[in-house]
Amino acid sequence: MEEKRANWSGQIAFVLAAAASAIGLGNLWRFPYLAAQYGGGAFIAVYLLLVATLGFTLMLTEVAIGRRTRQSQLTAFSILNKKWGFLGIIGTIIPLLILPYYCVIGGWVVYFFKTYLLMAFVGVEPMGAGAECSKAFFDSFITSSYASFAYAVFFIAGCAGVIVLGVKNGIEKSNIVMMPLLFLIAIAISVYVMLMPGSAAGLKYYLVPDLNSFKGADGGFSVALLAKTLLGAVGQMFYSLSLAMGIMITYGSYMRKADSIEKCVRRIEICDTFVALIAGLMIIPVVYLFAVKNGIPVETAMKEGPGLMFVTLPKVFASLGVAGAWIGMVFFLLVIFAAATSAISLFEACVASVCDLFKMARAKSTLIVASVLIFLASFSAFGYGVWGHITIFGMQFLDFFDFSANSVMMPILAALTCVFAGWILKPKTIFEECEAAGAVMKAKRFYSFTVRFVAPVLMIALLVSETCRVLKLGGWSI
Ligand code: PFF
């Protein structure tokens, strides 16, 4: 059965949905940790510049392609040019790599929320009073035989429920509830953190550019370190704005012609960056304070990686006394909202592709996609547990999926999309779409230059650097 293509109810609904997709684990976990690692303010300055330039160009391209073709990415490229239809196939594989492991992490977040809920209301302390066992607690959960998988299935089922309800009744309505709550909770926690005695030093660490972070071993300015920071920021921008995942093409395909793509893209970027900055305000000063109080080197505490959210933060919450359990509960609720709204958007991109390709009803394609997701998620969930002995290029399943999507396929797809838009389709077609409702696109020259030259070069640099890092080939790996 063919269904009439859905539409957002308006510009705000589109911006909210795209922002809900963009704001996710990338903002709450990855951004603060990278900012801390790459010298705080210096990283933030580079990041802001990239969002306003490269991020703008990439997002505008994807949304315009979606709206012009009224298709999800699987079929959008081939409609514009048969020979470039393969981009749709690459783009459809990417969500299948990312989404299952993202849902596994979503399941971890749900589990932590439940733990804090019990701590706050029932007073149980599964991590020990001082959360001194938080690492053992986290490890035993992710390596458990079934628990981590069961939580992932729960998370997937929740997202599927929203998708089945449709674009207006499901995605739009859930965003209207979750997004304002997410903003409120994030602002409340960051204000609480800023009011904590001694937080100023942590804030300084986070926000003030430290040019020492570009000093090499010989004490002089290191171009390689600057390049690493730049590529770290490119990778983060790309992930955080949900680019090269097919989401913006799919969401653009539901956009009304009357709405201005240029304005919407700017607004989405502002929301996403705002939450990333706030996430840093919530996390970095408390981790800083905690490190100083406990005699842990600040650098070590900041470079925890995945453990920053699941191991270090629980210790920090425990050090806050009774309030800690409540703050932990509210914090993980915030993370659930962010992760769920992002996962829903990628889930939707897959469901829409199946609907478009097989002309299938939404409910049926949601069921098919959910079953595939559960199957694929089992690899990431069991990969840290019972299948822990299986590795690919030395990586466990979850890390391998993350690497192959974020570091290999997404930069390739983004670079090719820019080549396609800049040289084959030509910027003029993108401008035509942006000006469909009579609005004049302002950044035309800038767009043409970035899409043709800057974006492909930076994407390829990111691909090379990431591949070198993982395959331990040395060089400018970030
Ligand atoms: N922009 C999202 C984030 O920052 O978390 C990226 C994302 C990842 C979206 C995975 C959706 C998803 F399933």
Side-chain angles (χ1 to χ4, degrees):
M1 183 187 85
E2 188 170 354
E3 298 195 335
K4 190 175 162 289
R5 193 156 201 86
N7 262 306
W8 300 115
S9 42
Q11 186 156 314
I12 296 183
F14 168 70
V15 171
L16 197 64
S21 161
I23 298 167
L25 294 172
N27 304 57
L28 296 178
W29 158 68
R30 210 165 177 261
F31 181 84
Y33 142 73
L34 283 177
Q37 181 177 339
Y38 289 119
F43 176 86
I44 294 175
V46 175
Y47 182 79
L48 292 180
L49 197 73
L50 282 169
V51 168
T53 55
L54 192 61
F56 169 77
T57 305
L58 284 166
M59 195 183 281
L60 189 107
T61 307
E62 293 196 12
V63 175
I65 289 179
R67 195 173 74 175
R68 188 163 188 90
T69 57
R70 298 239 148 242
Q71 293 284 307
S72 53
Q73 64 167 350
L74 180 59
T75 35
F77 288 101
S78 59
I79 284 193
L80 292 169
N81 184 313
K82 273 240 145 27
K83 280 197 196 140
W84 287 76
F86 72 95
L87 290 187
I89 299 174
I90 305 183
T92 305
I93 299 173
I94 292 173
L96 291 177
L97 290 171
I98 301 184
L99 191 51
Y101 86 74
Y102 202 80
C103 290
V104 171
I105 302 182
W108 297 354
V109 177
V110 173
Y111 179 67
F112 270 70
F113 170 68
K114 188 200 93 180
T115 304
Y116 276 101
L117 190 82
L118 288 178
M119 277 161 127
F121 284 100
V122 189
V124 282
E125 283 170 351
M127 298 182 209
E132 70 278 359
C133 319
S134 63
K135 179 152 175 43
F137 177 79
F138 177 56
D139 287 346
S140 82
F141 172 64
I142 64 170
T143 55
S144 61
S145 6
Y146 291 105
S148 148
F149 178 63
Y151 276 90
V153 173
F154 176 76
F155 188 82
I156 293 172
C159 296
V162 174
I163 303 270
V164 165
L165 293 175
V167 170
K168 281 196 181 125
N169 287 328
I171 304 178
E172 274 191 27
K173 291 217 169 109
S174 67
N175 286 339
I176 286 176
V177 179
M178 285 198 263
M179 292 306 288
L181 273 177
L182 186 150
F183 277 97
L184 276 180
I185 297 175
I187 293 172
I189 298 183
S190 54
V191 170
Y192 179 89
V193 168
M194 280 188 284
L195 294 178
M196 277 166 64
S199 66
L203 272 180
K204 192 169 155 231
Y205 179 90
Y206 173 48
L207 293 175
V208 178
D210 178 9
L211 293 177
N212 285 331
S213 41
F214 298 131
K215 268 193 191 155
D218 59 356
F221 179 77
S222 159
V223 179
L225 278 178
L226 179 67
K228 280 183 186 185
T229 307
L230 179 69
L231 290 182
V234 172
Q236 171 61 17
M237 174 218 77
F238 194 38
Y239 188 82
S240 186
L241 293 175
S242 294
L243 300 170
M245 299 181 187
I247 297 171
M248 294 302 161
I249 298 185
T250 307
Y251 276 20
S253 77
Y254 305 139
M255 196 179 176
R256 302 179 314 177
K257 288 275 181 200
D259 299 330
S260 157
I261 297 184
E262 197 177 9
K263 269 194 203 142
C264 287
V265 167
R266 292 265 182 239
R267 287 180 189 153
I268 299 163
E269 289 191 318
I270 291 173
C271 292
D272 186 65
T273 309
F274 175 74
V275 174
L277 292 174
I278 290 271
L281 286 183
M282 282 190 299
I283 296 173
I284 297 196
V286 275
V287 174
Y288 185 95
L289 267 181
F290 174 78
V292 172
K293 222 194 238 164
N294 291 281
I296 305 167
V298 173
E299 300 292 319
T300 317
M302 293 294 176
K303 289 185 185 167
E304 266 290 331
L308 190 69
M309 183 180 288
F310 298 105
V311 177
T312 313
L313 271 188
K315 289 197 177 114
V316 174
F317 292 145
S319 73
L320 301 178
V322 189
W326 290 90
I327 297 179
M329 181 183 83
V330 177
F331 175 80
F332 280 103
L333 183 66
L334 159 86
V335 187
I336 291 181
F337 289 157
T341 49
S342 294
I344 287 169
S345 71
L346 202 51
F347 202 149
E348 169 64 23
C350 299
V351 170
S353 290
V354 174
C355 288
D356 288 346
L357 188 68
F358 300 111
K359 312 266 181 275
M360 198 184 265
R362 172 170 278 273
K364 202 166 160 199
S365 44
T366 307
L367 195 68
I368 294 175
V369 175
S371 314
V372 174
L373 281 183
I374 291 177
F375 171 71
L376 292 174
S378 66
F379 289 90
S380 294
F382 294 128
Y384 276 145
V386 281
W387 294 343
H389 55 285
I390 308 173
T391 54
I392 313 171
F393 294 120
M395 287 174 266
Q396 276 164 323
F397 283 114
L398 193 151
D399 303 279
F400 175 73
F401 287 144
D402 180 58
F403 166 70
S404 41
N406 294 320
S407 307
V408 182
M409 293 184 66
M410 283 160 61
I412 294 179
L413 180 63
L416 289 175
T417 305
C418 289
V419 171
F420 176 63
W423 300 95
I424 310 290
L425 201 60
K426 303 271 160 58
K428 151 173 136 299
T429 318
I430 302 288
F431 301 155
E432 246 172 55
E433 187 54 42
C434 291
E435 296 182 336
V440 178
M441 178 167 160
K442 291 193 192 124
K444 281 189 187 153
R445 274 198 184 178
F446 165 79
Y447 174 87
S448 303
F449 181 68
T450 317
V451 84
R452 290 176 156 208
F453 304 104
V454 185
V457 170
L458 276 174
M459 290 300 135
I460 299 299
L462 179 67
L463 172 72
V464 173
S465 130
E466 274 294 89
T467 313
C468 290
R469 177 177 67 84
V470 168
L471 301 182
K472 301 197 171 56
L473 297 176
W476 283 2
S477 52
I478 52 177

